[in-house]
Amino acid sequence: MKALVYHGPRNVTIDKVPDAKIEKPTDVVVKITTTNICGSDLHMYEGRTNVENGKILGHENLGEVIEVGNAVETVKKGDYVCLPFNVACGFCENCERGLTGACLTVNPGTAGGAYGFAGMGPWSGGQAELLRVPYADFNCLQLPPDGKDKQDDYVMLADIFPTGWHATRLAGLTPGDSIVIYGAGPVGLILNPAVEPVQTGAGNAATGPLG
Ligand SMILES: [Zn+2]
Ligand SMILES: [Zn+2]
């Protein structure tokens, strides 16, 4: 398959690499049809991380399921799915508390996994023709029947929208509360489209390392 591969600061190329495939029975393989370049991809591209050479980038992914592992219960071949950027197991202590960005299973020795990102586990990214999705029942957001037609909208569920939304949940915000958002990039702006943004420079109001 073709994939966007990191070779060092400001050096990424489209390379021919082995096809993504089912490696565990809980996996699916997705044919990527839409993927975003995130502001946090630039952290790696510009050499501000310790991402390893050879990493396939891309954590905002959407596509069609083309292969399904034997232990996958709910995701089916032909489904259009969006893949929120955090890879998580769904069954560890942190996932059960809703802290899926700090999953204890998917990044041994530390916490929290993501597709194609520095320090977030072994997972390849989706700026590629094919993507392996582990714990597919937990990580695939199955889209409604208009998923294929509206994929440019639904792909925002991979990072931008839920990152902003998750911040409001973790902060315990309720309607009518007043808040200050530091660094109102796209994620910060999506917290409240009615807010007049004050330009304070680049950066997002992300809650995690991505976004
Ligand atoms: Zn977990
Ligand atoms: Zn992102």
Side-chain angles (χ1 to χ4, degrees):
M1 66 175 185
K2 286 189 282 187
L4 185 83
V5 178
Y6 178 85
H7 295 289
R10 297 181 187 275
N11 183 4
V12 297
T13 51
I14 306 275
D15 294 352
K16 200 91 167 106
V17 299
D19 282 359
K21 60 180 197 305
I22 303 279
E23 296 181 25
K24 287 191 173 179
T26 44
D27 294 347
V28 298
V29 173
V30 172
K31 183 178 79 178
I32 296 295
T33 54
T34 303
T35 176
N36 298 327
I37 298 171
C38 183
S40 52
D41 285 328
L42 300 180
H43 302 180
M44 293 180 288
Y45 175 72
E46 293 172 354
R48 288 184 274 144
T49 71
N50 62 353
V51 69
E52 63 271 25
N53 289 351
K55 190 81 160 178
I56 300 172
L57 304 183
H59 61 267
E60 302 195 14
N61 306 309
L62 181 151
E64 180 185 0
V65 176
I66 59 164
E67 265 186 82
V68 177
N70 289 335
V72 175
E73 298 279 347
T74 58
V75 182
K76 301 175 301 298
K77 225 170 165 169
D79 283 350
Y80 269 77
V81 293
C82 180
L83 295 321
F85 67 78
N86 274 133
V87 178
C89 71
F91 54 74
C92 72
E93 186 182 345
N94 282 351
C95 281
E96 287 194 340
R97 291 164 61 206
L99 303 173
T100 51
C103 175
L104 297 166
T105 308
V106 296
N107 192 358
T110 175
Y115 304 94
F117 209 87
M120 300 290 274
W123 314 104
S124 286
Q127 288 168 15
E129 291 178 298
L130 302 171
L131 177 70
R132 173 192 170 211
V133 178
Y135 305 110
D137 284 316
F138 191 69
N139 287 308
C140 290
L141 181 61
Q142 287 164 278
L143 298 176
D146 63 0
K148 184 179 179 183
D149 295 335
K150 295 188 175 171
Q151 52 189 295
D152 288 353
D153 297 326
Y154 284 122
V155 75
M156 297 304 167
L157 296 173
D159 185 354
I160 304 300
F161 179 76
T163 298
W165 173 250
H166 197 57
T168 68
R169 299 300 296 262
L170 292 178
L173 290 181
T174 55
D177 285 352
S178 296
I179 58 165
V180 175
I181 303 167
Y182 290 95
V187 174
L189 291 173
I190 215 162
L191 289 172
N192 185 347
V195 168
E196 276 287 315
V198 178
Q199 290 298 330
T200 56
N204 297 333
T207 53
L210 307 190

